[in-house]
Amino acid sequence: MLSKIQTFIVVMCLAVILIVGVFIFYLSRQGASNPEGTVGNTAGNLNNRGLFCEYDGTVFFSNAYDGGSLYAMDSTEENIRRLNGLNVRSILAGGDSLYFFQRGASGSTALESALSVHSFSRCSPNGSNIRSLSRNYVITAQLVDNYLYLLVPGGELMKLIKIETDGSGEILVADYEINPACASDGFLYYNGTQTDHYLYRMDTDTDMPQVIWEGNLWYPCIEGDYIYFLDVGSNYRLCRYNLSQGLTEVLTQDRVDCFNVGHGYIYYQKNGDAPQLICMREDGTDAFVLAEGNYTNINMTSQYVYFQEYGNDASYYHSRLGYGIYEEFSEAREAALNEK
């Protein structure tokens, strides 16, 4: 028989093992804390469905040729590989995790099939360790430091909620529409949707908003010291507002359907009788027509722009930033075929 001392030692060892196991399990669910200033994706990408997201030299994307499955590649479009078979959009990256809204599984693994009901989920950068964080239908989302802001159906139309990166601690931020896509340095920038279209800024530490400019704008995108936006009162022309100087510049008189900005360039879809996809520099100079016709879902990385023909979400076109030619993204198609 064990002595009382031996019994005590055994019990204490078992208790320590249990405590350590619970602690490790807790950490695995929490994930590492993200660095201060973390933002999950650019506003321009998220306003175009968040189909591409570049993080630490890797581009994560929803492969249209494979049912929207999550893929990854180098920023040079080399080493294209499938991460999992979930149909994804609103892709975010930060710390040691990817986040996305998934609308079913195009793959056949047991876990992917179990997650086939729509959810906002998290996974490792290699596509494994998939975990559902919210069963809400997510319209768009953003990661700011250690919180996820999700625009979901609710109230009269939409509402903005906030959850921690492990899915816990859901908070109602606003019972009306706030687009969280535009974020920088711990702030959300968004246009009003209730009584005005002013430019608002929300401190994500307190979730308290303030008006910073009484403009008439939609889809603000921050780039450096500028907010790029569609001018609602002037036929949705594309403009930019200097945050430090309080000055507004008109970049084009065209009516714009959608746009993206970054890495020195703007790409926008011109509306009208002769629709065109146009590229210009961030100050509105050196504009040229990249493609004739209607295009949408304009996503940008550090080296390429990606877009889809309106009404066809089963393929992509791509072009090097600033180049005047484009072609089908055949490398993604070939990678998808190799997976089948």
Side-chain angles (χ1 to χ4, degrees), residues 47-68:
N47 288 337
N48 286 273
R49 299 182 66 222
L51 301 176
F52 288 74
C53 177
E54 186 170 359
Y55 184 64
D56 283 348
T58 298
V59 175
F60 302 95
F61 68 101
S62 172
N63 194 338
Y65 299 96
D66 191 6

Side-chain angles (χ1 to χ4, degrees), residues 2-233:
L2 294 175
S3 68
K4 290 183 178 179
I5 294 177
Q6 289 175 317
T7 302
F8 176 77
I9 292 173
V10 170
V11 170
M12 289 301 296
C13 288
L14 291 174
V16 169
I17 291 172
L18 178 61
I19 292 170
V20 170
V22 170
F23 182 68
I24 291 173
F25 177 74
Y26 174 78
L27 288 180
S28 69
R29 290 175 64 88
Q30 291 289 102
S33 178
N34 293 327
E36 185 175 352
T38 293
V39 172
N41 202 345
T42 66
N45 283 352
L46 292 172
N47 288 337
N48 286 273
R49 299 182 66 222
L51 301 176
F52 288 74
C53 177
E54 186 170 359
Y55 184 64
D56 283 348
T58 298
V59 175
F60 302 95
F61 68 101
S62 172
N63 194 338
Y65 299 96
D66 191 6
S69 296
L70 181 62
Y71 276 62
M73 63 183 173
D74 301 339
S75 59
T76 56
E77 297 188 337
E78 298 174 304
N79 191 26
I80 302 178
R81 62 226 183 249
R82 191 187 207 232
L83 300 185
N84 62 51
L86 297 176
N87 179 325
V88 302
R89 63 167 172 79
S90 298
I91 304 171
L92 310 171
D96 61 356
S97 296
L98 301 178
Y99 306 85
F100 48 80
F101 179 67
Q102 63 93 4
R103 298 167 296 159
S106 58
S108 59
T109 70
L111 180 57
E112 289 167 358
S113 297
L115 291 170
S116 61
V117 178
H118 67 71
S119 71
F120 195 82
S121 302
R122 184 181 81 190
C123 74
S124 299
N126 64 3
S128 65
N129 301 318
I130 305 166
R131 182 182 169 213
S132 175
L133 303 179
S134 173
R135 286 296 186 182
N136 282 290
Y137 185 92
V138 174
I139 298 160
T140 190
Q142 183 58 283
L143 169 68
V144 181
D145 295 338
N146 293 302
Y147 288 94
L148 292 157
Y149 286 83
L150 310 179
L151 182 62
V152 302
E156 295 184 3
L157 291 173
M158 290 176 264
K159 64 182 180 180
L160 183 67
I161 63 173
K162 172 182 181 178
I163 61 175
E164 296 182 34
T165 53
D166 67 346
S168 66
E170 180 177 316
I171 298 172
L172 176 64
V173 177
D175 60 357
Y176 53 89
E177 179 182 356
I178 291 178
N179 181 355
C182 184
S184 178
D185 295 327
F187 292 94
L188 295 181
Y189 295 83
Y190 62 95
N191 56 265
T193 58
Q194 292 185 293
T195 60
D196 57 65
H197 295 146
Y198 295 165
L199 178 63
Y200 288 78
R201 183 174 68 183
M202 177 183 290
D203 187 334
T204 57
D205 284 336
T206 62
D207 293 330
M208 294 298 295
Q210 67 175 123
V211 175
I212 59 174
W213 178 47
E214 295 184 2
N216 191 4
L217 67 153
W218 202 257
Y219 282 151
C221 293
I222 191 166
E223 185 69 16
D225 199 33
Y226 289 95
I227 295 286
Y228 293 78
F229 65 93
L230 298 182
D231 186 350
V232 177

